[in-house]
Amino acid sequence: MKIVRRAAGSAGLRVSALALACAFTAVACGGNGAGDTGGKPTIGIVALNLSNPFFGTLEKATENAAKAKGWKVMKAEAKTPGDSATQVTAIENMIANKVKAIVVTPASATALNGVLKRAEEQGILVLAVNAPLKPDSTAAATYATDNVAAGKLIGQWAKASAPAGAGVAMLDFDLSDAPSADRHKGFLDGYGIAASALAGKALTKGTEDTGQQEMENLLSAHPGINVVYTINEPTARGAYTAIKNKGRAGKVVLVSVDGACSGVQDVRDGVIGATAMQFPDKMGQKAVQAAAAYIKDGTKPEGGIVDSGTQLITDRPVKGLASQTSQWGLEHCWGPK
Amino acid sequence: MAGGVRESDIAELETPLRARRDLRSLVTHQIFGPLLALVVAVIVFALTTSTFFNSGNLALIAQQSVVVGTLALGQTLIILTSGIDLANGAIMVLGSVVIGKMAVGNDPVLAAVVGLVVCVALGAVNGALVSWLKLPPFIVTLGVMSVVMAAARLYTDSQSYPITSDFLTVLNDGPAIGGVTITYGVMLWIGLTAVLGFALTQTSWGVRVYAVGDNTRAAELSGIKVRRVLLSVYVVAGLVYALAAWQALGRTPTADPSGYANGNLDSITAVVIGGTSLLGGRGGVVGTLIGALIVSVLQNGLTQAGIDSLYQQVATGVLVIVAVGVDHLARRRQQR
């Protein structure tokens, strides 16, 4: 997703990152090696912002699965959320190199449509991971988390765990980002609260420092807040610092989404009440499976958006809501442990 | 502050005239505009929300300002020399993750010293490239920013490190006065502003800094060793960024390679809103302190008023443009 275990990027950084990314892409993609040389098929992996461990995990899982099949891999990366230009260039290079399939984590839902159509016309199988394209038929199949479902899970858990007379607050990431908007909507549905009934809401950048700052501001205005949704786990940890500084640790129900190992550890430590885990490695593996069938005999995947699954992680299970413990979570989490 | 109007002897004798001139010099003083903006913002939020104007919230705003505010002090020094530092946020982040990672299993004081050395060394690299090779500061710091940011991520594997050492988070503590905590971080920030303000206005080093920023060629002709001044400014700025890293560890007790992604631009914003000219040679650190407070007041107040935080960016952006506009007009008037 464009978010965000950590959304990044100052404008200044973008300028340089773009320049770097172009240079990188030229190296990664401009090299020789047509897709068919030596009988080994080549697949292209177009990743997003690898400084974010979520995308790092997704890319590595895809690459490892492809290499296990003996394929060659061409890689490219957009350096910041929304950096579609680098991805377009990378895909053009991959078409020129006659790859058999392209697995793309789109930086934008629509910006890649033209170049991906050209890829398809060349007989290249296009697979999206993490977030769908618009229309989603632009890719032969999409492997992604259902973020509405993820938001719903933590919304339901929060509702069941909330103290009486709850004041609910939401710490979001830019809602023009589709996964962010989906989680937001899912949480409201799951909790059963209208956006207008929230005690407070604020936009963060999906990072710990911005999560802390906005939580401080909300608590200052509404000291009664005791249920907090956060867009991701770093934001949750920042919010927790603000809550703790206010002397309200243990009195606020904090929920999040992602399932990074550091986030699951925070569930175990009681910082976060519950989180909805995503499975980036499954997304990559499923994409490679689909590519394998296509390379073997031209079979295309069934299509549409394939949910890569969401798991509620909490050590305080509630009735009627399936969940796993933080212990299980630590065995299945992604990112640095 | 530089640019204070000297009263003539006659004015000394004529009290009413002096009073009027005092008022005029106050109004034309560089920090008058920022101060007015701060006061207006505080009054507006105090009237429109029930929760903004209380000692706890005001102390909170000060605490929220310290990291970017400290970064902005270093940025002010560099902008006064008509330079710019795009790398300061990255340098601070690298300093903080070096401290955070080294503190695991090591003496936290040692870790802090190493972090400080890293920040100062990077300041020196910027300074050497700008002063000796005469490369444009924008380009130098743009390059250094990329390298340093990548270094922070490589060093940490994009992981964050929780800080448990009391020494490293001490800046978040402080005496409580009437139930309101005035943190050591806030004291350090104000103290540092005072020290740098004194150095800029009361020492020959400060005079040279302003001279170099105002007109490098003229400064050179008058015998100022421009290279040495520039290098010293970037080194002092590096030291200030190390203190900002310490501030950050106190505020958010984690060393996070992804944090403060906008530190460079936020610090430039505070400097510009604080009335320091991007063309160099004009402004000062007290204005910057006020500029940083204005940004925090807007963010805090708009959140408390329940207004979408995107409007905070709108308001900040408008203020930046107004500040640059005022500076531009002042310069034009002076040139006539």
Side-chain angles (χ1 to χ4, degrees):
Chain A
M1 45 226 52
K2 261 199 265 166
I3 70 159
V4 280
R5 181 172 166 265
R6 303 152 181 294
S10 65
L13 174 60
R14 262 173 214 211
V15 175
S16 67
L18 196 61
L20 274 179
C22 294
F24 178 83
T25 311
V27 173
C29 304
N32 53 17
D36 285 326
T37 47
K40 280 186 186 174
T42 304
I43 72 159
I45 301 175
V46 185
L48 184 57
N49 195 17
L50 296 180
S51 60
N52 177 333
F54 179 88
F55 297 120
T57 305
L58 174 53
E59 194 223 28
K60 267 183 208 146
T62 314
E63 186 181 356
N64 290 344
K67 287 199 167 151
K69 296 205 179 292
W71 301 345
K72 287 196 202 163
V73 172
M74 277 179 78
K75 290 191 292 181
E77 174 202 352
K79 294 280 172 170
T80 58
D83 174 19
S84 301
T86 303
Q87 292 196 327
V88 170
T89 310
I91 293 166
E92 285 168 351
N93 288 340
M94 288 172 179
I95 295 172
N97 276 271
K98 298 191 165 50
V99 300
K100 294 288 188 191
I102 292 174
V103 180
V104 57
T105 311
S108 147
T110 52
L112 306 176
N113 288 2
V115 71
L116 288 177
K117 192 155 191 294
R118 287 211 299 281
E120 211 185 341
E121 284 162 5
Q122 304 287 321
I124 298 169
L125 183 71
V126 174
L127 301 162
V129 283
N130 183 59
L133 295 151
K134 223 183 240 173
D136 65 66
S137 57
T138 309
T142 303
Y143 306 94
T145 303
D146 181 344
N147 279 293
V148 176
K152 206 165 181 174
L153 277 177
I154 55 170
Q156 287 168 330
W157 185 89
K159 177 71 182 175
S161 310
V168 185
M170 295 185 80
L171 291 176
D172 282 303
F173 179 75
D174 192 341
L175 292 175
S176 66
D177 177 85
S180 173
D182 286 350
R183 291 178 193 179
H184 178 95
K185 182 178 175 297
F187 176 82
L188 291 175
D189 284 357
Y191 197 95
I193 188 173
S196 55
L198 292 172
K201 62 183 164 60
L203 292 186
T204 70
K205 294 201 165 78
T207 59
E208 201 167 327
D209 56 322
T210 56
Q212 179 180 346
Q213 176 136 344
E214 288 303 347
M215 190 72 237
E216 286 170 349
N217 291 342
L218 288 176
L219 279 176
S220 187
H222 314 284
I225 287 173
N226 51 15
V227 175
V228 180
Y229 156 94
T230 56
I231 182 65
N232 63 8
E233 288 143 4
T235 307
R237 196 185 303 171
Y240 180 78
T241 303
I243 291 164
K244 194 178 64 180
N245 288 347
K246 194 91 178 170
R248 292 180 48 79
K251 292 181 192 128
V252 178
V253 172
L254 195 56
V255 292
S256 197
V257 181
D258 252 3
C261 293
S262 54
V264 175
Q265 187 62 47
D266 282 342
V267 172
R268 192 176 186 80
D269 295 343
V271 168
I272 300 173
T275 194
M277 180 179 277
Q278 305 191 74
F279 297 94
D281 42 1
K282 277 193 193 159
M283 298 173 194
Q285 287 155 3
K286 285 187 176 179
V288 169
Q289 273 170 19
Y294 179 72
I295 289 170
K296 197 175 161 207
D297 54 15
T299 312
K300 288 197 177 181
E302 221 165 84
I305 300 172
V306 182
D307 184 5
S308 54
T310 314
Q311 177 63 55
L312 184 68
I313 305 289
T314 182
D315 288 334
R316 284 177 277 160
V318 298
K319 243 188 199 164
L321 202 53
S323 64
Q324 291 284 359
T325 62
S326 61
Q327 184 58 42
W328 184 94
L330 285 173
E331 286 158 18
H332 295 82
C333 60
W334 52 267
K337 302 220 178 200
Chain B
M1 310 266 27
V5 178
R6 269 256 160 266
E7 306 293 344
S8 73
D9 293 341
I10 296 167
E12 292 284 336
L13 298 172
E14 293 181 41
T15 322
L17 190 60
R18 196 178 75 179
R20 206 186 305 161
R21 286 210 181 166
D22 279 351
L23 189 67
R24 212 171 87 192
S25 79
L26 178 72
V27 170
T28 55
H29 197 285
Q30 251 140 1
I31 67 166
F32 178 76
L35 199 55
L36 186 68
L38 179 62
V39 171
V40 168
V42 168
I43 290 173
V44 168
F45 289 125
L47 294 178
T48 52
T49 72
S50 58
T51 49
F52 177 84
F53 199 76
N54 66 65
S55 51
N57 191 51
L58 297 179
L60 178 66
I61 289 171
Q63 288 166 29
Q64 291 180 332
S65 308
V66 292
V67 179
V68 168
T70 306
L71 269 183
L73 294 177
Q75 183 75 262
T76 309
L77 297 178
I78 289 170
I79 289 179
L80 282 175
T81 67
S82 72
I84 196 140
D85 193 349
L86 298 178
N88 65 353
I91 291 175
M92 177 196 78
V93 166
L94 180 62
S96 70
V97 297
V98 164
I99 296 171
K101 191 173 174 183
M102 279 204 66
V104 180
N106 281 313
D107 179 21
V109 179
L110 175 75
V113 170
V114 174
L116 185 134
V117 169
V118 166
C119 290
V120 172
L122 287 168
V125 168
N126 275 336
L129 292 171
V130 168
S131 64
W132 257 260
L133 294 183
K134 297 212 157 88
L135 300 177
F138 186 93
I139 303 301
V140 166
T141 57
L142 183 65
V144 168
M145 175 187 74
S146 280
V147 174
V148 170
M149 205 159 249
R153 288 182 172 147
L154 287 170
Y155 180 66
T156 56
D157 197 15
S158 296
Q159 245 196 105
S160 55
Y161 288 82
I163 306 294
T164 49
S165 148
D166 287 342
F167 168 72
L168 293 177
T169 58
V170 68
L171 294 181
N172 198 44
D173 298 333
I177 300 163
V180 177
T181 307
I182 308 296
T183 64
Y184 297 122
V186 172
M187 294 182 204
L188 174 68
W189 181 39
I190 294 170
L192 195 59
T193 307
V195 168
L196 290 174
F198 179 84
L200 282 173
T201 56
Q202 309 297 323
T203 69
S204 61
W205 176 77
V207 172
R208 290 192 192 115
V209 170
Y210 279 102
V212 167
D214 200 33
N215 188 332
T216 312
R217 184 83 187 114
E220 219 159 23
L221 290 173
S222 63
I224 292 174
K225 294 193 171 85
V226 171
R227 285 177 172 176
R228 214 181 275 178
V229 173
L230 281 176
L231 182 63
S232 72
V233 162
Y234 282 88
V235 168
V236 172
L239 180 64
V240 173
Y241 303 152
L243 295 174
W246 195 16
Q247 295 272 30
L249 295 179
R251 250 202 60 79
T252 307
T254 310
D256 182 357
S258 313
Y260 297 98
N262 288 327
N264 53 356
L265 297 185
D266 291 346
S267 69
I268 293 168
T269 300
V271 172
V272 171
I273 290 179
T276 293
S277 170
L278 278 174
L279 300 171
R282 192 193 288 249
V285 286
V286 177
T288 298
L289 182 136
I290 295 169
L293 283 173
I294 290 173
V295 175
S296 292
V297 162
L298 285 176
Q299 180 162 19
N300 179 290
L302 289 173
T303 303
Q304 300 218 350
I307 295 170
D308 197 312
S309 44
L310 289 175
Y311 287 104
Q312 180 240 334
Q313 294 173 27
V314 172
T316 311
V318 168
L319 270 181
V320 166
I321 293 166
V322 167
V324 172
V326 167
D327 176 56
H328 181 71
L329 290 177
R331 275 189 192 253
R332 272 222 318 226
R333 188 173 298 169
Q334 204 178 46
Q335 276 166 3
R336 268 189 214 139

